[in-house]
């Protein structure tokens, strides 16, 4: 039985296609291509859903990270703590605004930023901000990180690119006082038809700065901005998908619980049960004993038409363009090569999950 990693066909079902075609046709007829009615509608609805006062749409998730750092005054001469395992864009955003990334090691269980590593790194580096990532949709330990950063006056920007549907301390990501960034890339839980992103914030002044930066600095003659406006078609797609996202995210949690049940007796490491309800399950990662075993399992599953992806094969410090930056990376380097993400989308069935587990067992045995 073939098991796809993504499933765009069911995500974009006929009734969705019919409605979005109607919306796009109206956008064409109205000539409202940038920042139209669906931008404002989505921003209001998404802010409410995530427990935030403001949602500001931007062009993509990387812009969201860069703009959020700029709101805190981060730029040349500053250092920003980033986790040792994340997508390249997290560190890239820091470099793009002229700051320097400093690697903070990750927790060996969750692969999220480790507060104890942050404490150690802060002894050797003056950290001006940190960007913890809710990697795979797993909630980062924000409360523990705030306890470290708060007394030092270090702002936190939460990278929630994979975390729509994640809950931190029982509340949706975005409910705290930190700036929180999202990507709506087509593979995300809540996704556009192309690039789009957003920043959530609770502060009126910060919201005003974000609006200025995303639109060429308009509204503030003393501030330079950029072109990071979300086009109207992407906003229309996001607004329409909001109607189904809660059900899809609940399906992901059920599928994660099924995976846990099917894999619990196999010689692979899975995430603890308490993450089932708090994670968005953007991805379902398992840990193998070595990178060689991970590669072998991936090839075996591929031969059975089961899609997998090794998010992420290398730690940030092992990327050629980033290897000269400092910090801690021991756990990150150990974990990165051993992680394999199994198929995860809201349309998987119990038979799909059993098939994946069966082939993992066949490989291990």
């Amino acid at each position: 039985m073939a098991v796809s990693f993504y499933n765009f066909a069911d995500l974009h079902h006929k009734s969705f296609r019919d409605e979005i075609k109607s919306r796009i046709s109206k956008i064409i007829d109205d000539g409202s291509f940038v920042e139209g009615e669906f931008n404002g509608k989505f921003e209001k609805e998404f802010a409410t859903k995530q427990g935030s006062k403001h949602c500001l749409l931007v062009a993509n998730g990387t812009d969201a990270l860069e703009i959020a750092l700029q709101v805190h005054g981060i730029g040349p001469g500053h250092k920003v703590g980033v986790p040792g395992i994340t997508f390249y864009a997290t560190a890239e955003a820091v470099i793009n605004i002229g700051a320097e990334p400093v690697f903070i090691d990750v927790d060996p269980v969750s692969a999220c930023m480790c507060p104890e590593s942050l404490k150690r790194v802060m002894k050797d580096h003056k950290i001006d901000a940190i960007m913890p990532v809710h990697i795979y949709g797993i909630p980062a330990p924000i409360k523990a990180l705030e306890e470290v950063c708060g007394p030092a006056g270090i702002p936190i920007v939460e990278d929630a690119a994979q975390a729509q549907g994640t809950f931190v301390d029982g509340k949706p990501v975005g409910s705290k006082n930190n700036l929180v960034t999202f990507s709506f890339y087509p593979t995300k839980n809540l996704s556009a038809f192309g690039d789009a992103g957003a920043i959530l914030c609770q502060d009126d002044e910060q919201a005003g700065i974000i609006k200025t930066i995303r639109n060429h600095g308009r509204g503030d003659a003393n501030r330079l901005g950029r072109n990071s406006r979300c086009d109207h078609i992407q906003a229309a797609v996001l607004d329409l998908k909001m109607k189904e996202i809660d059900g899809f995210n609940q399906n992901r949690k059920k599928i994660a619980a099924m995976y846990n049940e099917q894999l619990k007796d196999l010689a692979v490491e899975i995430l603890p049960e308490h993450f089932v309800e708090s994670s968005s399950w953007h991805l379902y990662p398992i840990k193998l004993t070595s990178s060689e075993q991970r590669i072998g399992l991936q090839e075996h599953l591929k031969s059975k038409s089961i899609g997998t992806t090794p998010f992420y094969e290398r730690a940030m410090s092992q990327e050629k363009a980033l290897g000269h930056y400092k910090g801690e990376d021991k756990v990150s380097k150990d974990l990165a090569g051993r992680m394999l993400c199994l198929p995860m989308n809201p349309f998987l069935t119990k038979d799909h999950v059993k098939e994946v587990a069966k082939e993992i067992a066949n490989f291990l045995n």
Side-chain angles (χ1 to χ4, degrees):
M1 178 192 298
V3 186
S4 299
F5 196 77
Y6 300 116
N7 185 341
F8 292 115
D10 286 340
L11 178 64
H12 302 136
H13 50 80
K14 185 179 185 303
S15 61
F16 172 86
R17 289 176 183 231
D18 290 344
E19 174 61 22
I20 200 61
K21 287 176 182 177
S22 175
R23 290 188 176 197
I24 292 173
S25 180
K26 185 177 185 301
I27 288 170
I28 293 170
D29 290 342
D30 293 346
S32 57
F33 301 111
V34 178
E35 296 185 330
E37 63 175 296
F38 288 115
N39 291 66
K41 187 171 181 286
F42 174 80
E43 287 179 333
K44 183 177 180 180
E45 292 175 350
F46 193 65
T48 299
K49 175 176 287 296
Q50 301 302 130
S52 181
K53 187 173 182 180
H54 299 280
C55 167
L56 294 312
L57 280 168
V58 294
N60 55 70
T62 308
D63 278 8
L65 291 170
E66 294 177 21
I67 293 170
L69 288 172
Q70 289 176 308
V71 169
H72 287 301
I74 302 299
H78 294 130
K79 293 184 177 182
V80 179
V82 299
I85 293 180
T86 181
F87 181 56
Y88 197 89
T90 310
E92 179 184 52
V94 175
I95 298 167
N96 283 348
I97 62 169
E100 177 183 340
V102 179
F103 300 122
I104 312 299
D105 218 345
V106 299
D107 178 86
V109 175
S110 70
C112 292
M113 183 180 285
C114 174
E116 294 304 314
S117 175
L118 174 60
K119 290 178 185 177
R120 292 191 296 268
V121 171
M122 284 172 61
K123 293 177 181 178
D124 297 322
H125 299 270
K126 183 185 180 301
I127 302 297
D128 298 289
I130 66 167
M131 288 207 302
V133 179
H134 302 288
I135 194 75
Y136 311 121
I138 301 164
I142 300 301
K143 184 177 180 179
L145 293 169
E146 288 175 337
E147 290 172 353
V148 177
C149 292
I154 298 173
I156 297 174
V157 173
E158 298 179 42
D159 182 342
Q162 300 178 349
Q164 197 291 311
T166 296
F167 286 78
V168 177
D169 300 326
K171 295 183 179 181
V173 167
S175 301
K176 289 180 173 286
N177 288 324
N178 306 316
L179 293 177
V180 181
T181 69
F182 287 85
S183 166
F184 300 122
Y185 187 75
T187 59
K188 299 297 193 289
N189 290 30
L190 180 59
S191 58
F193 277 179
D195 274 316
I199 305 170
L200 299 184
C201 71
Q202 309 289 0
D203 184 84
D204 293 345
E205 183 179 355
Q206 290 180 333
I209 295 172
I210 295 166
K211 289 178 181 179
T212 296
I213 294 175
R214 75 178 178 182
N215 193 14
H216 297 289
R218 289 177 178 175
D220 185 347
N222 297 313
R223 185 182 295 277
L224 289 174
R226 63 170 71 195
N227 181 2
S228 189
R229 297 170 299 202
C230 176
D231 77 65
H232 198 186
I233 289 176
Q234 305 307 335
V237 172
L238 291 170
D239 176 72
L240 184 56
K241 286 188 175 182
M242 283 277 282
K243 296 179 180 180
E244 298 182 297
I245 190 60
D246 288 344
F248 288 161
N249 283 339
Q250 279 303 118
N251 287 352
R252 288 175 182 268
K253 295 178 192 296
K254 292 175 183 177
I255 293 161
M258 285 192 282
Y259 267 129
N260 284 4
E261 179 64 25
Q262 294 294 320
L263 299 175
K264 66 181 181 181
D265 296 324
L266 300 184
V268 297
E269 187 177 343
I270 60 178
L271 286 163
E273 195 71 20
H274 65 82
F275 283 121
V276 169
E277 288 302 317
S278 61
S279 176
S280 71
W281 296 108
H282 172 61
L283 297 167
Y284 186 93
I286 61 173
K287 301 185 188 81
L288 285 305
T289 58
S290 66
S291 60
E292 291 77 17
Q293 187 187 46
R294 188 266 299 166
I295 293 169
L297 175 59
Q298 186 177 9
E299 288 300 314
H300 173 75
L301 294 177
K302 181 180 180 181
S303 73
K304 304 298 180 180
S305 299
I306 296 173
T308 62
T309 304
F311 291 117
Y312 294 90
E313 293 181 87
R314 295 176 294 278
M316 284 287 94
S317 61
Q318 294 174 308
E319 298 286 357
K320 288 184 178 180
L322 300 174
H324 59 288
Y325 292 108
K326 308 298 183 183
E328 288 192 353
D329 61 1
K330 182 179 180 181
V331 177
S332 301
K333 288 193 291 188
D334 174 63
L335 282 183
R338 298 193 289 119
M339 305 288 282
L340 185 66
C341 292
L342 304 182
M344 172 52 79
N345 64 72
F347 310 103
L348 295 177
T349 65
K350 191 170 185 177
D351 286 342
H352 288 136
V353 173
K354 284 184 174 181
E355 180 71 12
V356 175
K358 181 191 78 174
E359 290 303 336
I360 293 174
N362 287 341
F363 172 81
L364 294 173
N365 293 331

